[in-house]
Amino acid sequence: MKTIILLPVYNEEATLEAELGRLKDLADFILIINDGSADKSGEILGRFCRDNPSCALISHSTNQGKSKALSNGFSRILEKTNEGLFSYDDIIIITDADGQLPSDVIPEAMEYFLRKKLDMLIGARDFNQYPFVKKLGNLILSTAASILSGFSFRDTQCGFRILTVEALERILPFYTARGYACEQQLSQIAVLSGLNVDNSFPVKPVYYRSNSTFRDAFYIAADSLITFFRMKSGKNSHLPVRKVLKHGLSNSALSADDK
């Protein structure tokens, strides 16, 4: 069994080198997506991958957002699985490059994941450092996902999670996230696909940071509802949230192609 760290990066030159140093000994392989960074992140990543043969780098010429970065990383993992580099019982660890989520939690989280025989572990953050509005927003989104999926989520927005390659193969056909909807959508799809999910493993952020806005929260909430209808209908259309909001949640809208 191999472990694969999937690391999206966007303008993280201040923390990137130190974070890569901490991560390189925690997995068998690191797949990095440089999502159009305009700072020195690209240079740092280039040096790191040249010095570490168990590293692969996907570079976007322009910033496409975390959801797209993860999508391309997911596709590459499945592509390499089909080629025989990885197997379906290998483990994927998704984390961030900004050092906000402590990398030293990975060994304990892996032990917990394997002991519980999980398909996906979603970290549950300690929100003591977070402002009230962020706590409230996370509570609303996690509650919405809980109601729609029938699973008691504590923190659907946590960027730290572990899943098997086999679980990824089941999730990816339904993954259509845009912007910051990736974590919420992955959480819901996993549960609605019948995977064994745990959202109780504690993760204490090193510091507070958030790039999302009220507008992002609105689209995440809308995407959460759309994901529920797509999953229940068996659809895997890539219809953008904005089109569904414009045309309504009709069966025709939900099954239309993304154009």
Side-chain angles (χ1 to χ4, degrees):
M1 180 190 73
K2 294 179 182 176
T3 53
I4 308 153
I5 288 178
L6 181 58
L7 190 71
V9 175
Y10 177 62
N11 289 347
E12 301 292 358
E13 64 177 4
T15 59
L16 186 55
E17 199 154 12
E19 192 63 18
L20 289 170
R22 288 188 285 266
L23 292 174
K24 68 179 182 179
D25 296 322
L26 295 174
D28 299 302
F29 196 88
I30 301 180
L31 176 58
I32 305 169
I33 304 93
N34 180 16
D35 189 27
S37 295
D39 63 359
K40 294 181 179 179
S41 294
E43 298 174 25
I44 295 170
L45 293 173
R47 288 197 303 270
F48 178 80
C49 287
R50 283 193 297 272
D51 294 339
N52 293 273
S54 59
C55 168
L57 178 62
I58 299 173
S59 294
H60 295 170
S61 58
T62 59
N63 178 245
Q64 299 181 40
K66 185 176 181 180
S67 291
K68 183 63 174 178
L70 288 178
S71 178
N72 287 344
F74 293 154
S75 297
R76 180 64 61 85
I77 288 172
L78 290 183
E79 177 185 306
K80 294 302 179 183
T81 301
N82 290 333
E83 293 174 2
L85 179 62
F86 304 130
S87 65
Y88 286 99
D89 62 351
D90 287 344
I91 308 297
I92 304 164
I93 302 164
I94 306 172
T95 190
D96 295 326
D98 58 8
Q100 183 185 24
L101 302 176
S103 55
D104 58 7
V105 77
I106 290 177
E108 183 183 354
M110 277 289 297
E111 189 277 331
Y112 182 89
F113 178 87
L114 294 171
R115 175 164 47 87
K116 293 284 187 176
K117 298 180 179 179
L118 300 174
D119 297 310
M120 178 183 284
L121 178 151
I122 306 167
R125 289 169 294 176
D126 179 340
F127 287 102
N128 285 335
Q129 301 179 62
Y130 285 61
F132 173 77
V133 66
K134 291 296 181 180
K135 294 178 184 178
L136 179 62
N138 187 79
L139 176 62
I140 291 171
L141 291 172
S142 295
T143 300
S146 297
I147 293 169
L148 292 169
S149 66
F151 177 86
S152 183
F153 285 109
R154 291 178 56 185
D155 180 12
T156 55
Q157 299 298 295
C158 185
F160 176 77
R161 58 192 65 205
I162 302 174
L163 69 158
T164 63
V165 174
E166 183 177 3
L168 173 61
E169 186 182 50
R170 290 175 60 179
I171 289 168
L172 194 57
F174 293 95
Y175 179 78
T176 63
R178 307 289 180 90
Y180 290 103
C182 44
E183 281 90 5
Q184 181 92 351
Q185 195 179 104
L186 286 170
S187 301
Q188 276 186 251
I189 293 172
V191 170
L192 293 171
S193 296
L195 298 176
N196 186 14
V197 177
D198 186 296
N199 188 204
S200 64
F201 186 83
V203 177
K204 186 174 183 178
V206 178
Y207 63 94
Y208 165 72
R209 177 187 181 185
S210 177
N211 296 319
S212 59
T213 65
F214 283 112
R215 186 171 182 270
D216 294 320
F218 171 77
Y219 276 99
I220 293 170
D223 182 83
S224 191
L225 184 61
I226 294 163
T227 298
F228 169 77
F229 280 102
R230 283 196 299 106
M231 293 295 294
K232 286 300 183 182
S233 65
K235 305 292 185 182
N236 62 347
S237 78
H238 290 234
L239 184 66
V241 171
R242 62 183 182 275
K243 289 193 176 183
V244 176
L245 293 176
K246 180 179 179 180
H247 298 295
L249 292 171
S250 66
N251 289 333
S252 60
L254 288 169
S255 61
D257 291 331
D258 178 10
K259 298 179 180 180

